[in-house]
Amino acid sequence: MRYLIVSDIHGNWEALEAVLAGAKGAYDRVVCLGDVVGYGPDPNRIVEWVRENSVATIRGNHDRASVGLEDLEWFNPVARAAALWTQNELTAENRDWVRNLPKGPVQIDSFQIVHGSPLDEDGYVVNATEASFVFPYVSCELTFFGHSHLQGGFMWTRQRVRSLQKPKVIFGFELLELEKDAQYLVNPGSVGQPRDLDPRAAFVIYDGGLRCVKYHREPYDIAKTQAKIRSVGLPDLLADRLALGR
Ligand code: ZN
């Protein structure tokens, strides 16, 4: 089975469209690691696509915030403004769907999905030190996680952690072949708001049969999303950062 793994779409339709065009024919199923909404101008369209196409979706902190399940006091002013805007924008049906999203980890075949860390859905796993605290508690050999919006991940072998080199993905994709006797935490990166200084939409394809992960990036019409963000009255910063990839 080949999976298209998407995370942190954040209501960005143009980015998702580019991902789907780039991944066309290369996957059998879609899995989503949360933060479907928040920040972006197309929350309903994205929710409806995910509802229809993803075989497993877990919630992210922005999903909770956008349906009133989160105390917005902990959000910075821009994230809070976006959450309030999204709360207002979501249809009743889409709001119910988001509200009922399960919390990770969720097991699918031989891998699991989480939003932040396998130990805490809101925890960040950004560097090797953080990953080294997490791996001893993970029994699954392959975990896909998001939340940091940084494509890449970590490998654990013989009780040591190694950062997977940041994929450059200049043409096509960058391949990660999974070794036996190793565990992996793989971050597909963010579809709708990358923060690794590469503004292209990020995703991975996981091929369970071939035991490999393909890291992809797709350019998309950033100017179109930026114009939508400004026209609906979301904070300017949310438009600006898309062009910078941070
Ligand atoms: Zn996110």
Side-chain angles (χ1 to χ4, degrees):
M1 190 70 73
R2 299 165 308 162
Y3 292 89
L4 165 61
I5 308 211
V6 289
S7 188
D8 299 278
I9 305 171
H10 283 290
N12 186 335
W13 178 256
E14 289 71 34
L16 179 63
E17 255 187 335
V19 164
L20 297 177
K24 201 172 176 205
Y27 64 93
D28 309 299
R29 287 184 176 170
V30 180
V31 166
C32 177
L33 313 185
D35 278 2
V36 176
V37 298
Y39 296 139
D42 281 310
N44 284 305
R45 208 165 174 189
I46 294 293
V47 166
E48 279 149 25
W49 184 87
V50 174
R51 282 175 63 179
E52 196 140 304
N53 293 283
S54 172
V55 295
T57 305
I58 49 173
R59 67 188 193 179
N61 51 322
H62 288 265
D63 300 321
R64 295 204 310 275
S66 299
V67 294
L69 290 174
E70 184 72 17
D71 188 351
L72 295 180
E73 225 176 283
W74 299 102
F75 274 57
N76 69 53
V78 168
R80 191 184 311 141
L84 291 171
W85 181 86
T86 308
Q87 279 184 14
N88 224 7
E89 195 69 15
L90 283 174
T91 65
E93 207 183 328
N94 288 340
R95 190 179 311 126
D96 278 352
W97 181 84
V98 172
R99 198 188 293 267
N100 289 307
L101 281 173
K103 173 182 169 172
V106 165
Q107 182 85 24
I108 303 150
D109 293 349
S110 59
F111 64 91
Q112 65 173 359
I113 58 172
V114 301
H115 182 65
S117 150
L119 312 180
D120 170 6
E121 62 177 334
D122 293 334
Y124 285 94
V125 189
V126 170
N127 55 45
T129 308
E130 285 163 359
S132 72
F133 293 132
V134 170
F135 272 117
Y137 298 96
V138 179
S139 54
C140 201
E141 69 169 18
L142 176 59
T143 302
F144 290 99
F145 73 105
H147 195 39
S148 66
H149 301 207
L150 305 173
Q151 192 176 50
F154 307 94
M155 175 186 185
W156 179 250
T157 176
R158 290 183 281 278
Q159 308 296 307
R160 300 187 75 133
V161 73
R162 194 155 70 74
S163 292
L164 302 171
Q165 217 178 355
K166 183 177 173 269
K168 293 190 195 77
V169 200
I170 296 165
F171 296 110
F173 57 83
E174 209 146 303
L175 184 67
L176 167 69
E177 287 177 287
L178 302 181
E179 292 175 22
K180 279 196 182 127
D181 307 318
Q183 278 179 289
Y184 292 87
L185 281 166
V186 172
N187 191 329
S190 166
V191 171
Q193 196 196 78
R195 291 179 195 160
D196 46 11
L197 303 178
D198 181 345
R200 296 175 298 170
F203 65 100
V204 301
I205 303 281
Y206 168 58
D207 189 321
L210 296 177
R211 287 181 47 81
C212 68
V213 172
K214 293 171 182 168
Y215 289 102
H216 287 258
R217 301 301 283 239
E218 284 295 333
Y220 71 95
D221 192 347
I222 292 176
K224 190 170 174 186
T225 311
Q226 290 177 315
K228 282 189 191 173
I229 287 173
R230 295 198 168 98
S231 79
V232 299
L234 280 162
D236 269 349
L237 177 76
L238 294 174
D240 296 341
R241 69 188 302 177
L242 291 182
L244 306 171
R246 71 186 172 112

